[in-house]
Amino acid sequence: MKKNIQQEKPHEHLIKDAKKLVLAYPKVPLTVDCAIFGFEESQLKVLVIKSDLEMYDGHYSLLGDIVQDNEELDEAAYRVLKARTGMNDVFLDQVRAFSHPARHPGGRVITVAYCSLLNINHHQLKIHDNELNWHSVSTLKDMAFDHKEIVDECYSWLQKRIQEHPLGFNLLPEKFSLRELQNLYEAILGVSLDRRNFRKKFASMDLLIDINEMEQDVPHRPGKLYKFNFEKYETSKRKWIGIDF
Amino acid sequence: MKKNIQQEKPHEHLIKDAKKLVLAYPKVPLTVDCAIFGFEESQLKVLVIKSDLEMYDGHYSLLGDIVQDNEELDEAAYRVLKARTGMNDVFLDQVRAFSHPARHPGGRVITVAYCSLLNINHHQLKIHDNELNWHSVSTLKDMAFDHKEIVDECYSWLQKRIQEHPLGFNLLPEKFSLRELQNLYEAILGVSLDRRNFRKKFASMDLLIDINEMEQDVPHRPGKLYKFNFEKYETSKRKWIGIDF
DNA sequence: TCTTTTTTGTGTAAAAAATACACAACTTTG
DNA sequence: CAAAGTTGTGTATTTTTTACACAAAAAAGA
């Protein structure tokens, strides 16, 4: 009863013209939105701009733009970032796509959210624009579109990420004190941490370079300054195996 | 020198017609692709189908489809999943968007990748189609489009996720033995784990329900069967705070 | 210049978690 | 009934995490 006649390569069903196929696909408008975080006065801030849609008058929105033809999503996000901050070499990572059909009042627009981290005090950064400003993440509300949801998700993403990867250093100046570093972690995670254990933890990682400089112009005893050893980190990333939930 | 005249509400720049705005946006074809994982014979498998594009003749691709008008991405992914597996209540989560302009030979198509986990032996699941089959993840190569990259990324995502969340149970039958559970973790993480420590770990979590049944039809001493206590897990999710990289 | 305030910098003890490791009992198979 | 393969369990060691206190340094203000 074995059937030996195998119907190999049923060529009759194969599509020859891929271009024609794609031309028939429905298309949707696609944007990127960037949650650009900064750290100032021991607070996590996010860069927002007044919405230019009348129905969202007075509400803030994230920086975003249309994705251009033949532009990668990462490129588009980076373009938005560069256009508004003038900065290069900024940390940027995709978080996820948001696709609720009613998320944009003008009709269906799908957006891909990006999370970006930068040092607010960087010299290249010039937020002259009155409409553009740093807003404390904790007091943010009433944003345009679904941007509050996007910020919330990017913030959660950041909270998790910062515990597992050395992202936080993107928010600090190149040289920083252990107190600044701890303030950063406390602000982002929303917890207070034991100072001695915090320092011990970073000491045991051995990824901070003591540059033998002290803080300047602080209204108290200055602390030592450190740099993060990105090079060592890159070469010694360890893979953690464990089960914990 | 203080300027008191504030230009409040520059209404002249606000956009009234959001619909008109969106109509002017460029549009792109958008798809979803699902990396549907299953676990069989102590191996992680992924559901693949022969590509229907002539230029990818003989190559496998993931299951995917166009995102329809007014369809959410999650919906579209779920629709793909349901159409091919007939299954409901399947684990599904967005991984990320892939947007390389040359990723599709027919022109620009952006895709959003989803990761799905299901029990291969589930009774509703019927992979009759000759062209559709379970392929071992470890031996997968030469896929159509950028689907190998997508699978790799979904697999990495899964490896990380399974250590922090109880996803793995979606790949097992409702009742499973500790050996099956350990085989699953070992296969996905690609490591071997100490049996006693593995069991101790799960015992200490106290999330497995001993249902007082034994394995049937195994060619050796049968082990106890357990269920995962999803209810308890949901109510007792703990937030872990720590720094480790 | 002296006192107050604030912050830096450090160590140890206890608890918890992770790791390494071995043996007896059970079930099936032949 | 012997052999093979697997289940189920405990303890000792090491590592990691946590909790906790005090002296010294610098700045600010009197």
Side-chain angles (χ1 to χ4, degrees):
Chain A
M1 295 298 283
K2 199 162 151 196
K3 198 175 177 184
N4 274 319
I5 302 152
Q6 294 191 353
Q7 289 160 279
E8 280 182 341
K9 303 210 172 204
H11 270 287
E12 63 277 14
H13 293 126
L14 291 183
I15 293 163
K16 288 183 196 231
D17 192 344
K19 281 198 169 48
K20 196 171 147 197
L21 177 76
V22 169
L23 280 173
Y25 284 1
K27 297 173 169 191
V28 297
L30 188 66
T31 61
V32 289
D33 283 298
C34 298
I36 303 171
F37 291 105
F39 185 64
E40 194 179 37
E41 293 161 358
S42 294
Q43 281 199 311
L44 186 67
K45 309 246 168 136
V46 63
L47 198 55
V48 293
I49 190 168
K50 287 258 172 70
S51 175
D52 56 359
L53 282 191
E54 191 178 69
M55 72 174 295
Y56 287 127
D57 188 20
H59 291 219
Y60 287 114
S61 80
L62 294 174
L63 296 184
D65 198 9
I66 306 297
V67 178
Q68 302 297 331
D69 285 343
N70 284 314
E71 189 180 38
E72 287 217 51
L73 291 167
D74 286 4
E75 264 182 70
Y78 209 81
R79 178 170 51 75
V80 166
L81 196 59
K82 177 101 196 243
R84 290 298 190 165
T85 67
M87 286 175 75
N88 277 311
D89 303 319
V90 175
F91 174 89
L92 183 70
D93 212 352
Q94 190 187 120
V95 175
R96 76 166 175 93
F98 290 78
S99 65
H100 194 286
R103 62 171 294 281
H104 195 299
R108 180 182 225 202
V109 180
I110 285 176
T111 197
V112 178
Y114 277 79
C115 178
S116 174
L117 305 176
L118 54 80
N119 173 13
I120 286 185
N121 302 121
H122 195 282
H123 58 281
Q124 276 190 299
L125 181 62
K126 282 152 194 158
I127 312 290
H128 286 314
D129 195 333
N130 216 354
E131 305 287 291
L132 186 64
N133 57 73
W134 291 104
H135 198 296
S136 164
V137 171
S138 56
T139 59
L140 198 58
K141 56 168 82 78
D142 287 335
M143 295 187 78
F145 312 103
D146 53 357
H147 285 194
K148 180 61 165 65
E149 186 188 350
I150 295 178
V151 170
D152 288 346
E153 193 123 342
C154 288
Y155 180 35
S156 295
W157 181 93
L158 174 60
Q159 287 186 314
K160 179 164 170 47
R161 269 299 174 120
I162 203 180
Q163 297 183 62
E164 303 175 343
H165 301 277
L167 300 189
F169 304 100
N170 292 296
L171 293 162
L172 294 175
E174 193 190 9
K175 303 169 182 181
F176 52 86
S177 68
L178 287 172
R179 179 179 35 77
E180 291 177 295
L181 185 60
Q182 185 173 347
N183 286 344
L184 176 69
Y185 272 90
E186 291 184 332
I188 292 178
L189 299 178
V191 295
S192 68
L193 302 168
D194 180 89
R195 193 161 55 90
R196 279 164 296 186
N197 292 337
F198 181 86
R199 292 160 106 95
K200 215 184 317 176
K201 183 72 200 176
F202 273 94
S204 77
M205 288 187 215
D206 200 27
L207 288 170
L208 298 184
I209 302 168
D210 180 344
I211 54 172
N212 291 307
E213 289 181 46
M214 306 298 277
E215 284 181 297
Q216 303 286 329
D217 307 315
V218 283
H220 54 74
R221 174 177 175 184
K224 286 182 160 189
L225 292 177
Y226 297 84
K227 287 184 185 180
F228 184 73
N229 195 341
F230 284 100
E231 210 170 273
K232 178 169 179 186
Y233 171 72
E234 285 301 329
T235 59
S236 67
K237 269 180 210 170
R238 64 197 181 76
K239 223 174 247 165
W240 175 76
I241 298 280
I243 299 162
D244 226 347
F245 48 80
Chain B
M1 294 298 283
K2 201 161 150 194
K3 198 174 175 183
N4 274 318
I5 303 150
Q6 294 190 353
Q7 289 161 279
E8 280 182 339
K9 303 212 170 201
H11 269 287
E12 64 277 15
H13 293 125
L14 291 183
I15 293 162
K16 288 183 195 227
D17 192 343
K19 282 198 167 52
K20 197 173 147 194
L21 176 78
V22 170
L23 281 173
Y25 285 1
K27 297 175 171 189
V28 298
L30 187 67
T31 60
V32 289
D33 282 298
C34 298
I36 304 170
F37 292 106
F39 185 65
E40 192 179 40
E41 292 161 359
S42 294
Q43 282 199 313
L44 186 68
K45 310 245 168 137
V46 62
L47 198 55
V48 293
I49 188 168
K50 288 258 173 71
S51 175
D52 56 0
L53 283 191
E54 190 179 68
M55 72 174 293
Y56 287 127
D57 188 20
H59 292 219
Y60 287 115
S61 79
L62 294 174
L63 296 185
D65 198 7
I66 307 295
V67 177
Q68 302 297 332
D69 286 343
N70 284 316
E71 187 179 40
E72 287 217 52
L73 291 167
D74 287 4
E75 266 182 68
Y78 209 82
R79 177 170 51 76
V80 166
L81 195 61
K82 176 101 198 243
R84 289 298 190 166
T85 68
M87 284 175 77
N88 277 312
D89 302 318
V90 175
F91 174 88
L92 183 71
D93 211 351
Q94 190 187 120
V95 175
R96 77 166 174 93
F98 290 78
S99 65
H100 194 287
R103 60 172 295 281
H104 194 299
R108 182 185 224 198
V109 179
I110 286 176
T111 197
V112 179
Y114 277 79
C115 179
S116 174
L117 306 176
L118 54 80
N119 174 12
I120 287 186
N121 302 122
H122 195 282
H123 58 280
Q124 276 190 298
L125 181 62
K126 281 153 195 159
I127 313 289
H128 287 316
D129 193 335
N130 215 353
E131 306 285 291
L132 184 66
N133 57 73
W134 291 104
H135 198 296
S136 164
V137 170
S138 56
T139 59
L140 198 59
K141 55 168 80 79
D142 288 335
M143 294 188 77
F145 314 103
D146 53 357
H147 284 194
K148 180 61 164 65
E149 188 189 348
I150 294 178
V151 170
D152 287 346
E153 193 124 343
C154 288
Y155 181 35
S156 295
W157 181 94
L158 174 60
Q159 286 186 316
K160 180 164 171 44
R161 268 300 174 119
I162 202 179
Q163 296 183 62
E164 304 176 342
H165 301 276
L167 300 189
F169 305 99
N170 292 296
L171 293 161
L172 294 175
E174 194 191 8
K175 303 170 183 183
F176 52 86
S177 68
L178 287 172
R179 178 180 34 76
E180 290 175 295
L181 185 61
Q182 183 172 349
N183 286 344
L184 176 69
Y185 272 89
E186 291 184 333
I188 292 179
L189 298 178
V191 294
S192 70
L193 302 168
D194 181 89
R195 193 162 55 92
R196 280 163 295 185
N197 294 337
F198 181 86
R199 293 160 106 96
K200 215 184 316 178
K201 181 74 199 175
F202 273 95
S204 77
M205 289 188 218
D206 200 27
L207 288 170
L208 298 184
I209 302 167
D210 180 345
I211 54 171
N212 292 308
E213 290 181 43
M214 307 298 277
E215 286 181 295
Q216 303 286 331
D217 306 316
V218 283
H220 54 73
R221 175 178 173 185
K224 285 182 161 188
L225 293 176
Y226 297 85
K227 287 185 184 181
F228 183 72
N229 194 340
F230 284 100
E231 208 170 275
K232 177 169 180 186
Y233 171 73
E234 285 301 331
T235 59
S236 67
K237 270 182 207 165
R238 65 198 180 75
K239 222 175 244 165
W240 174 76
I241 298 282
I243 298 162
D244 227 347
F245 49 79

